[in-house]
Amino acid sequence: GETNRTFHHVPGQPGIDLVKSGSLDLGADGIATPGDLITYSFTVTNTGNLTLTNVTLDDPLVTVIGGPIATLAVGASDSTTFSGTYAITQPDIDAGQVDNIAVATGTPSVGDDVSDSDTHTEPILALPLIDLVKSLASNADEDASGTVSLGDTLTYEFAVTNTGNVTLTDVTVDDPLPGLSVVSPASVASLAPGASTIFSATYSVTQDDVDAGQIDNTATTSGTPPSGPDVTDTDPETVPVPQNPVIELVKSLASNADEDASGTVSLGDTLTYEFVVTNTGNVTLTDVTVADPLPGLSVVSPASVASLAVGASTTFSATYPVTQDDVDAGQIDNTATASGTPPIGPDVTDTDPETVPVPQ
């Protein structure tokens, strides 16, 4: 008998699949820095029904090692032939990731080449940090005192360092010290990781600073990372200002009422003493007083002066009637004492004796 045969055409359906993966090695410091390596692996699978030959891999970012795969059977996978590494750059770290696409291509036994691509995104952890060190760079020392004193022009320096792993932009320094000049430069456009820049400003020492014995203030730096909020750092600086509290008293006989019109100091005459007190130190004095133990002397007026500025003088006064003891002694001797309270430390004092002859 005759045998009937039926032939079925099985169409060729070539296919290929690529899966790309990566791993970033941060090194011993555990922080992403330029030069750290991403190691990529590539798994190629024949997903069609035709054997593939001359399977190649192209990755524009990575130098691919291995291949081509001479033959890849239907359903077979290869994850060992292709590999590659990539050294990350500062722009990659600033971007926070590395993106790239690889393409696998194979030649089927029939028909055109087939290909597949796969995109991989490797995240890179940003660590934005900034550091500020404020210091007194110089003192113009206008009075040549050799120390920080009233009117001296101080120059402050602010050293700002990018201690993180991403580029910072719009780096600024702010210092709220009243009287400080504008900080220069106003800003730095960009500061790379590990880089430093210097800002500066000048300041004239005031009497309040001298009275305080020091200049205290805190500066703040800030910078903008590629993403996320600004980073800041503060640094306080204390500049000692030496204090020298001094008071000076000059006591004198200002006038004689000369009630008996004798023309000389004589019994019953009313004498007026003046006490000129001068602040000869470099700090403001408060509660300035004069004490005079001479028996019979009136109360010294005023009782006190609330505040006496550096270089300023004030006058106290008191009256005294000449006694027979004074005539017998031939003179009136006594010593007055001025005292004042500086901002810091014990009161300062000065004494001045005065002898008034009494003719016998």
Side-chain angles (χ1 to χ4, degrees), residues 198-216:
I198 301 293
F199 296 77
S200 65
T202 58
Y203 177 75
S204 181
V205 180
T206 68
Q207 187 59 53
D208 287 343
D209 299 326
V210 182
D211 290 346
Q214 58 191 30
I215 305 167
D216 290 314

Side-chain angles (χ1 to χ4, degrees), residues 4-356:
N4 294 323
R5 296 181 179 179
T6 302
F7 294 91
H8 297 280
H9 175 68
V10 179
Q13 294 179 332
I16 194 170
D17 179 73
L18 171 64
V19 176
K20 176 181 179 181
S21 62
S23 176
L24 174 60
D25 182 3
L26 297 177
D29 60 4
I31 300 171
T33 52
D36 287 347
L37 292 179
I38 301 175
T39 299
Y40 290 102
S41 60
F42 307 87
T43 300
V44 182
T45 304
N46 184 341
T47 57
N49 62 0
L50 298 175
T51 298
L52 298 176
T53 59
N54 191 35
V55 177
T56 60
L57 184 72
D58 178 62
D59 190 318
L61 186 70
V62 179
T63 301
V64 177
I65 301 173
I69 302 171
T71 302
L72 189 62
V74 173
S77 292
D78 185 306
S79 60
T80 60
T81 297
F82 299 110
S83 65
T85 58
Y86 172 72
I88 64 174
T89 66
Q90 189 59 54
D92 296 329
I93 301 171
D94 291 343
Q97 60 189 38
V98 175
D99 294 314
N100 73 307
I101 300 175
V103 179
T105 303
T107 302
S109 54
V110 177
D112 296 330
D113 288 356
V114 289
S115 63
D116 185 44
S117 63
D118 191 34
T119 300
H120 177 78
T121 297
E122 185 67 28
I124 302 176
L125 181 63
L127 185 65
L129 292 171
I130 198 168
D131 179 72
L132 170 65
V133 176
K134 176 182 178 182
S135 61
L136 176 63
S138 64
N139 174 12
D141 196 17
E142 281 85 350
D143 61 357
S145 65
T147 61
V148 175
S149 53
L150 179 66
D152 282 355
T153 301
L154 310 182
T155 297
Y156 286 104
E157 283 189 350
F158 310 84
V160 179
T161 304
N162 182 344
T163 53
N165 71 341
V166 291
T167 301
L168 298 176
T169 57
D170 191 26
V171 177
T172 61
V173 168
D174 176 64
D175 193 317
L177 180 63
L180 189 76
S181 72
V182 174
V183 176
S184 179
S187 67
V188 171
S190 179
L191 191 62
S196 295
T197 189
I198 301 293
F199 296 77
S200 65
T202 58
Y203 177 75
S204 181
V205 180
T206 68
Q207 187 59 53
D208 287 343
D209 299 326
V210 182
D211 290 346
Q214 58 191 30
I215 305 167
D216 290 314
N217 76 301
T218 298
T220 301
T221 186
S222 67
T224 302
S227 62
D230 288 358
V231 288
T232 63
D233 187 41
T234 59
D235 191 39
E237 175 69 9
T238 296
V239 176
V241 182
Q243 294 182 320
N244 182 34
V246 181
I247 197 169
E248 182 183 65
L249 169 64
V250 175
K251 176 183 177 181
S252 62
L253 177 62
S255 64
N256 176 9
D258 196 17
E259 282 85 348
D260 61 359
S262 65
T264 62
V265 174
S266 54
L267 180 65
D269 283 354
T270 301
L271 309 183
T272 297
Y273 286 103
E274 281 188 350
F275 310 85
V276 178
V277 180
T278 304
N279 182 345
T280 55
N282 72 342
V283 294
T284 302
L285 298 176
T286 57
D287 191 26
V288 176
T289 60
V290 169
D292 191 319
L294 180 63
L297 189 74
S298 71
V299 173
V300 176
S301 178
S304 67
V305 171
S307 179
L308 190 61
V310 173
S313 296
T314 188
T315 299
F316 297 76
S317 64
T319 59
Y320 175 76
V322 179
T323 68
Q324 186 59 52
D325 286 343
D326 299 327
V327 179
D328 292 346
Q331 58 190 30
I332 306 166
D333 289 315
N334 76 302
T335 298
T337 301
S339 67
T341 303
I344 300 171
D347 287 358
V348 287
T349 62
D350 187 38
T351 59
D352 191 38
E354 175 70 10
T355 297
V356 176

